[in-house]
Amino acid sequence: MNSYVNFYPFVQPYHQPYTQQQFDYTQQFDHRQPPQQLRALERRVTELEQRNNELTRTVNRLNREVNQLQETVERHSRRLNRLNQRLRAVENRLGVPFSPVEDGF
């Protein structure tokens, strides 16, 4: 006799048969042919991977374009600075007074 039954009435005696439903897993999932939901998920994963690859290529292309534009801006800035230095040198030689608001320049 189980002595804990008197103290813990919610505990089932060990000699009662197991009554929980048993599942037949072979009917639920056939390993040879995946269920429709699994195939749909695999298609979605493949689609998302392809989209991710496309987005990665687009991001890489945009990064290259940004780098090219930054290099172009730096080149033009250096050239503009050189031209301004040459212009100031010519103005100094000719004695032209420098005024940054003159004629909108």
Side-chain angles (χ1 to χ4, degrees):
M1 183 168 181
N2 190 349
S3 62
Y4 291 104
V5 173
N6 297 333
F7 299 107
Y8 301 103
F10 55 86
V11 175
Q12 297 286 332
Y14 66 90
H15 64 275
Q16 287 187 353
Y18 183 70
T19 58
Q20 188 175 5
Q21 283 186 335
Q22 298 293 325
F23 293 104
D24 185 11
Y25 291 104
T26 58
Q27 291 178 358
Q28 286 186 354
F29 184 74
D30 185 6
H31 294 283
R32 291 168 292 172
Q33 184 169 358
Q36 185 67 25
Q37 185 178 10
L38 183 59
R39 283 193 298 264
L41 289 174
E42 288 173 349
R43 281 193 303 270
R44 181 70 175 145
V45 167
T46 303
E47 176 186 325
L48 290 173
E49 286 173 343
Q50 290 173 352
R51 184 149 187 228
N52 183 42
N53 290 337
E54 291 172 7
L55 291 174
T56 301
R57 284 192 297 272
T58 302
V59 166
N60 289 338
R61 181 181 55 80
L62 290 173
N63 281 335
R64 282 192 304 273
E65 289 178 11
V66 165
N67 288 337
Q68 289 173 350
L69 289 172
Q70 286 175 340
E71 290 171 2
T72 302
V73 166
E74 289 175 10
R75 252 190 341 266
H76 287 293
S77 294
R78 286 191 302 267
R79 182 175 174 155
L80 185 61
N81 286 336
R82 284 193 310 269
L83 287 173
N84 280 335
Q85 288 172 355
R86 289 170 61 190
L87 180 61
R88 292 231 169 73
V90 169
E91 287 174 344
N92 287 338
R93 257 188 254 142
L94 296 175
V96 176
F98 173 73
S99 174
V101 292
E102 182 182 331
D103 294 331
F105 291 109

